[in-house]
Amino acid sequence: MVETTLNLTDTELPKGSLLRRLPLVFIGLGIASLIYWAVQYQMDHARAMYGYLFAFIAVLSLALGCLVFVLIQHVTRAGWSVTVRRIAEVAVALLPLFIIFFIPIALSIHDLFPWTHKEHIDEILAAKLPYLNENFFMMRSFGYLLIWAVMGVIFYRLSLSQDAKNNFKLTATMQAISAPSVIIFGLSVTFASFDWVMSLQPHWYSTIFGVYFFAGCLLFGLSFITLVAMLLQKIGVLKTAISKDHYHDLGKLMFGFTIFWAYISFSQFMLYWYGNIPEEMEFYTHRMHNGWDSLSWAIPVINFFIPFLALMSRVLKRVKLVLAINCLWVIFVHLIDLYWLIIPAYNDPAMHEGPTHFQVAMVDILAFLGIGLIFLGAYLLVLCRRKLLALGDPRLKESLAFENI
């Protein structure tokens, strides 16, 4: 390890920084986008809600990816990640926002989920009604959001308290509660993905769908953490705190979970393909017609082969520009993947006529910009008010001296 001297002036944003002036701009633009989305909602409320659901889950997946990153670092007692962990902690502190963002979905579930319509209940869905019913769905949904919000706030507050009190016992507390939190997180994310995405086509089911969704969340979170770290260094902070070795480790995690996502994705497809049971093939049938087939064949290439080759090299992972491009690509294809998971369900003739071909609707863009910009504005607002490092963590010295072998 190499001793690195930390300049405390590099641990918070300068008062004149542009990032300090952007939060309210982003929040204002986000609110304006949602207002325009609401206008479009009046024209075709069902299609607008599919766009909103996509936007909600896309932005939520970022916060969940950061949450699981924080939990993993504590449960493994990782020292290398201390200097980048606060970037993720700020994102998880904003998880209570999604309780508010979920309200339009709660009010419009009849536009989204076939199992809420009695006329669409057949023998298969009738057997699922003890689970797929509106009251239980609402209880579960707000339960997931409350669990994540409590987790996010607790870990963020404990980290800040550790900075203020320099109490190393708080580290032990976070380590102790992180283990059960990982289990609760895994179960809640799995069932949330079942409820909010898989039940859009309720005849179909996959026991590994939650793992598929989790892998995408973590990839989004890792890419976001890496990009924010680079941005902060670009404006003159955290220069000595985050090194090429930290970026190398973040790149390795991205590389590993790219392979993991591909493994889960292929396993899921292969099982249904050779089983060839009509109700099980429904999910892929919708995505092999009406223009979605081209995207279906493209996803393995853009979501696995390109990131796999780009992240394989040790040298490339240590070049900031190359790693930044890879991060942007991973985020882009993750959003495409979520879009592919959610929007084709609108074509289900049991619910809507839907578009005859694949197309990106204005309501999808407006909803994503609305929720995304509000979240980003709130993120910068919190980031600007606190130290950018977990200065009270006893492993900070280890992280500053970290070398990737």
Side-chain angles (χ1 to χ4, degrees), residues 71-385:
L71 294 178
I72 290 172
Q73 303 318 304
H74 285 299
V75 81
T76 58
R77 303 185 181 187
W80 73 271
S81 59
V82 173
T83 56
V84 297
R85 201 182 66 223
R86 180 58 54 82
I87 295 171
E89 289 172 343
V90 174
V92 305
L94 299 175
L95 278 164
L97 271 179
F98 291 92
I99 298 175
I100 300 172
F101 288 145
F102 186 76
I103 292 174
I105 297 171
L107 295 174
S108 305
I109 60 173
H110 292 280
D111 291 325
L112 294 167
F113 303 104
W115 48 266
T116 61
H117 297 261
K118 291 183 179 179
E119 63 272 21
H120 298 319
I121 301 298
D122 55 19
E123 184 178 353
I124 295 174
L125 294 186
K128 299 182 180 183
L129 286 181
Y131 182 82
L132 289 179
N133 62 79
E134 293 182 35
N135 291 334
F136 194 22
F137 174 85
M138 291 299 181
M139 290 173 58
R140 291 195 308 272
S141 295
F142 282 105
Y144 307 143
L145 294 166
L146 184 61
I147 287 170
W148 300 331
V150 170
M151 280 186 188
V153 171
I154 286 176
F155 278 94
Y156 180 65
R157 291 294 181 186
L158 285 174
S159 183
L160 292 181
S161 298
Q162 189 181 50
D163 291 350
K165 299 176 183 178
N166 205 27
N167 185 354
F168 291 169
K169 289 183 179 179
L170 293 175
T171 299
T173 300
M174 287 187 280
Q175 288 173 354
I177 64 175
S178 62
S181 294
V182 166
I183 298 172
I184 295 170
F185 174 87
L187 290 172
S188 58
V189 166
T190 296
F191 282 96
S193 68
F194 290 170
D195 290 349
W196 298 339
V197 182
M198 198 164 70
S199 76
L200 292 171
Q201 295 176 254
H203 290 103
W204 175 78
Y205 61 90
S206 168
T207 55
I208 59 175
F209 189 80
V211 185
Y212 179 102
F213 179 71
F214 153 79
C217 290
L218 187 51
L219 280 169
F220 196 177
L222 290 168
S223 300
F224 178 79
I225 293 166
T226 305
L227 289 172
V228 172
M230 291 180 181
L231 175 62
L232 292 173
Q233 287 193 320
K234 190 71 175 177
I235 63 176
V237 293
L238 302 181
K239 292 179 182 177
T240 60
I242 303 175
S243 66
K244 288 183 179 180
D245 297 286
H246 293 101
Y247 290 123
H248 187 187
D249 256 23
L250 288 166
K252 286 195 294 186
L253 285 171
M254 289 169 58
F255 177 70
F257 276 92
T258 294
I259 297 172
F260 181 71
W261 175 89
Y263 165 70
I264 296 298
S265 178
F266 176 74
S267 297
Q268 181 174 267
F269 173 76
M270 179 187 66
L271 289 170
Y272 291 116
W273 176 74
Y274 77 66
N276 200 28
I277 299 173
E279 58 267 24
E280 292 184 352
M281 283 300 296
E282 176 186 335
F283 176 85
Y284 292 102
T285 300
H286 279 285
R287 287 155 183 80
M288 290 296 181
H289 298 88
N290 298 322
W292 292 97
D293 48 340
S294 299
L295 187 59
S296 297
W297 291 116
I299 281 178
V301 176
I302 65 175
N303 216 358
F304 171 62
F305 288 105
I306 292 177
F308 175 81
L309 295 173
L311 290 167
M312 182 184 294
S313 168
R314 170 187 171 90
V315 175
L316 294 181
K317 286 196 287 283
R318 297 172 72 88
V319 178
K320 281 187 180 182
L321 178 60
V322 175
L323 185 59
I325 293 172
N326 284 329
C327 289
L328 290 171
W329 181 261
V330 167
I331 292 173
F332 174 67
V333 295
H334 170 68
L335 295 177
I336 289 177
D337 186 44
L338 287 178
Y339 197 81
W340 178 81
L341 288 174
I342 295 169
I343 303 301
Y346 182 76
N347 290 315
D348 190 341
M351 284 289 286
H352 316 287
E353 292 182 5
T356 55
H357 294 284
F358 160 71
Q359 60 181 4
V360 178
M362 177 62 71
V363 287
D364 306 329
I365 299 171
L366 290 172
F368 179 73
L369 287 176
I371 297 177
L373 287 173
I374 291 173
F375 178 84
L376 186 57
Y379 179 87
L380 293 176
L381 198 62
V382 176
L383 190 72
C384 292
R385 294 184 176 183

